[in-house]
Structures are given as structure tokens and as C-alpha cells.
Amino acid sequence: MNEEEEKTVIEIHQQGLDNFLIQHGVSRKTIEDNKVEKAKKIPEEYKIYYDYKKTVNNVIIPVSKIKGVSRVSGYSWFELLNACVLRVPIDQGKRLNLDPRKFLSLLNLIKNRNSKNLNEIYLNFDYINFSCYKREMHSDYYVSGQGNHRTITAKNFGVEFLKVSRVHYYEFNDDKYQEYQLYQAKKQEFGKLLERLGLFVDFYGCISFQINDSVITITDYPFENLVDGHRPISEMIGTADLLTPILEEVKNFSERFQQRYRHYPTVLKHFLYQQLQNNEIRIEEQDFAKKMGRCIALKRVNN
């Protein structure tokens, strides 16, 4: 850290970052806005319903449309700068993966330059890459490589535009989005049915049922992680639609058996439940729904 950077740190410690920025020409509104707006990460589901369109070099983008940087998210633009410059932990002692020295060299820019010169400086930076997600008239930009420090200071300084080396453009695909929404609804509905039956998805991605220390594996869970998975959404939904009436039948049998077993002596209920241990029940079996309903009912009346 050189002498000028040390002086800057001392100033910020004494005045607070917000007063330091105001003293050097940043508006209070810009500061207050950056205390509220948080840097976001690119939502993973964007990979599902945004299509890559093109890459353009040497683009000038509006800083107001920048939504996030790489590596860090969930904190306000002001918090990111303040925590790094003052080297203070954030969010229960967490330290951010950012370099305070890079921020200090950028903070020194506003000490000796007016806002017009500052805007010109940010139009001459290079080696910053962004991804842009376009939906109708809206465009959201996210840093996709180097450039975190320059982007965070641009937001906090109230810079209007930033020159970037490369922008990868993605466009919203409504058909894929509607299919994704259907997937989410089906997955949620199917999950509630499993929960009502006391079934769970095990480590290997199978629908299972636990009886004491033994586990009955029923069939494969129909849904994959969309980002990492390979099966089409339509195939997953189709499989879930085939399984749902079978599991509904299991639920009906379990309710009927439960009514019956409630009148059994405790010893008999316990004995019947113990007999289920290490049973194998295959969904392909003709009487699967009846057998599985019986297992669920016995577990419930013994708990």
C-alpha cells in the first residue's frame, strides 16, 4: 500500500465511506440507492430458458443495468466496497473474495477528478466481460470474468456508462420458460404427494420408504436437476404423470388399512410392522399399491 492509498484508508476510517464519497462528488441519492440494491448472481435457471444469441466486442453498457458481479452476491453495492476497503468481516465474520488494494487505486481516482473526467476514465477500461440477459425491453448485465472491482466502484461512484471488452447476449425463450414453470409445478405437486405418503428421495435418486433400519426402494424419482440433467422436461413430466395415479392408489389403500389397524391390539400392530422389515416391494407388481399402502398404514399406527 503506497502513501496515497494509506491516506485514503485513514480518511474513510475517520469520515465513513458515505461521507468520503459525498466529499468527492458522489450524490447522496446514489449512495442510498447502493445501500439498498444488492449485487445478484445469475439465476441458475436462466441456463434453461435463455438462448445464447451472439457475442459483441467493445460495447458501452449502462451501469444502471448491471445486476451482479462474479464470485460474490447477496450484499449491497455499498457493503461490498465498504467491507473490502476497511477490511472488516461481513455477514458473521465472512471475508469477501475481493482485493482491497484494487479498490483503493480506484477510490483515488475520484479524489483528483471531477465526475466528467471520471466517466471518461470508465469508458477507457478494458478486459471486462459481461453476460447480458434480454427479455422484451429489459436487459440485465452480469460480470462474467474479470472486472468486479471496476464494476463495484462504477456503481458506487454513480458512473453512467462502462466500456467492456465483450458481451455475450442471451434472449428469453417463452416456450422454454412455460415448460420450466410446468416442470416446477409438477415437481412441487409430486413432492407433496410423496410427503403425504411418508416417502423420500434417497441419495441415489430413488423414491424410497424406511421401515426401522431397512429401506424399501420403489422406483426412480422422475425429476432431475435441470441445469445438470440430460433428460428432456417433457419426459420427466410424462414419467411423473404415470406414477401419480399409482401413488394416489397407494394413498387410498393406506387410508383404508389405517382405519382397520387402529382397532388392532398394540402387540399385534407392532408384530405386523416388524414383519415388514427387509421386505421387497416392486412398483411393477400387480398388487403394489395394496402392499405399499399396507406398509405405510402399519408404520403410521405404530408411531
Side-chain angles (χ1 to χ4, degrees), residues 248-260:
E248 289 286 359
E249 191 179 5
V250 169
K251 183 170 75 72
N252 293 335
F253 271 114
S254 71
E255 290 170 354
R256 292 206 295 266
F257 277 120
Q258 198 170 337
Q259 289 293 331
R260 183 190 304 175

Side-chain angles (χ1 to χ4, degrees), residues 176-209:
K176 289 183 178 179
Y177 178 73
Q178 295 302 328
E179 190 177 47
Y180 171 72
Q181 292 291 96
L182 179 60
Y183 163 90
Q184 290 289 80
K186 288 282 186 179
K187 185 178 179 181
Q188 185 177 31
E189 182 183 334
F190 194 80
K192 288 179 179 178
L193 178 56
L194 294 184
E195 188 178 349
R196 288 198 297 270
L197 292 170
L199 306 177
F200 66 94
V201 181
D202 66 18
F203 176 79
Y204 301 100
C206 296
I207 299 172
S208 301
F209 181 72

Side-chain angles (χ1 to χ4, degrees), residues 210-221:
Q210 185 152 6
I211 300 173
N212 294 329
D213 296 328
S214 67
V215 174
I216 297 174
T217 300
I218 297 169
T219 190
D220 292 334
Y221 181 61

Side-chain angles (χ1 to χ4, degrees), residues 28-275:
R28 182 169 292 281
K29 182 179 186 309
T30 295
I31 294 168
E32 294 305 317
D33 287 347
N34 284 317
K35 285 182 178 181
V36 174
E37 183 187 346
K38 293 186 177 182
K40 303 172 184 176
K41 63 180 179 181
I42 301 173
E44 284 218 338
E45 63 266 23
Y46 277 15
K47 296 176 184 177
I48 299 161
Y49 51 81
Y50 276 87
D51 296 330
Y52 169 76
K53 289 298 177 182
K54 61 183 177 180
T55 296
V56 180
N57 297 328
N58 300 318
V59 182
I60 294 175
I61 65 173
V63 173
S64 61
K65 293 186 180 295
I66 297 174
K67 301 302 178 184
V69 292
S70 59
R71 300 198 305 274
V72 291
S73 62
Y75 306 102
S76 75
W77 297 107
F78 183 88
E79 282 179 304
L80 290 174
L81 183 58
N82 188 61
C84 287
V85 171
L86 299 181
R87 303 193 183 210
V88 295
I90 193 170
D91 193 15
Q92 300 180 349
K94 180 178 180 179
R95 291 192 178 273
L96 301 172
N97 186 18
L98 296 165
D99 187 350
R101 292 169 299 178
K102 290 184 179 180
F103 281 126
L104 287 170
S105 65
L106 291 164
L107 279 162
N108 284 331
L109 291 175
I110 67 171
K111 293 176 70 174
N112 305 311
R113 293 172 173 82
N114 60 38
S115 59
K116 181 181 177 182
N117 289 337
L118 194 64
N119 277 291
E120 289 175 357
I121 290 170
Y122 276 82
L123 286 175
N124 285 287
F125 280 135
D126 207 350
Y127 305 111
I128 307 178
N129 294 336
F130 273 81
S131 293
C132 175
Y133 294 87
K134 300 182 73 174
R135 181 174 181 176
E136 296 176 348
M137 301 301 292
H138 301 284
S139 296
D140 293 340
Y141 291 84
Y142 295 84
V143 176
S144 58
Q146 298 182 36
N148 280 353
H149 300 81
R150 286 166 286 178
T151 302
I152 291 168
T153 50
K155 295 289 280 191
N156 279 285
F157 294 169
V159 171
E160 292 183 56
F161 297 98
L162 182 64
K163 181 185 176 185
V164 302
S165 307
R166 187 174 293 111
V167 179
H168 306 290
Y169 287 94
Y170 299 83
E171 286 189 7
F172 178 76
N173 184 316
D174 189 62
D175 289 340
K176 289 183 178 179
Y177 178 73
Q178 295 302 328
E179 190 177 47
Y180 171 72
Q181 292 291 96
L182 179 60
Y183 163 90
Q184 290 289 80
K186 288 282 186 179
K187 185 178 179 181
Q188 185 177 31
E189 182 183 334
F190 194 80
K192 288 179 179 178
L193 178 56
L194 294 184
E195 188 178 349
R196 288 198 297 270
L197 292 170
L199 306 177
F200 66 94
V201 181
D202 66 18
F203 176 79
Y204 301 100
C206 296
I207 299 172
S208 301
F209 181 72
Q210 185 152 6
I211 300 173
N212 294 329
D213 296 328
S214 67
V215 174
I216 297 174
T217 300
I218 297 169
T219 190
D220 292 334
Y221 181 61
F223 298 101
E224 287 182 1
N225 182 312
L226 289 180
V227 175
D228 304 320
H230 304 288
R231 294 170 60 208
I233 290 178
S234 57
E235 182 182 321
M236 289 187 268
I237 291 174
T239 304
D241 285 344
L242 289 173
L243 289 174
T244 297
I246 297 172
L247 295 178
E248 289 286 359
E249 191 179 5
V250 169
K251 183 170 75 72
N252 293 335
F253 271 114
S254 71
E255 290 170 354
R256 292 206 295 266
F257 277 120
Q258 198 170 337
Q259 289 293 331
R260 183 190 304 175
Y261 291 144
R262 281 202 182 109
H263 304 291
Y264 282 26
T266 302
V267 174
L268 180 56
K269 286 189 289 189
H270 184 68
F271 172 77
L272 292 172
Y273 182 55
Q274 293 302 316
Q275 297 302 304

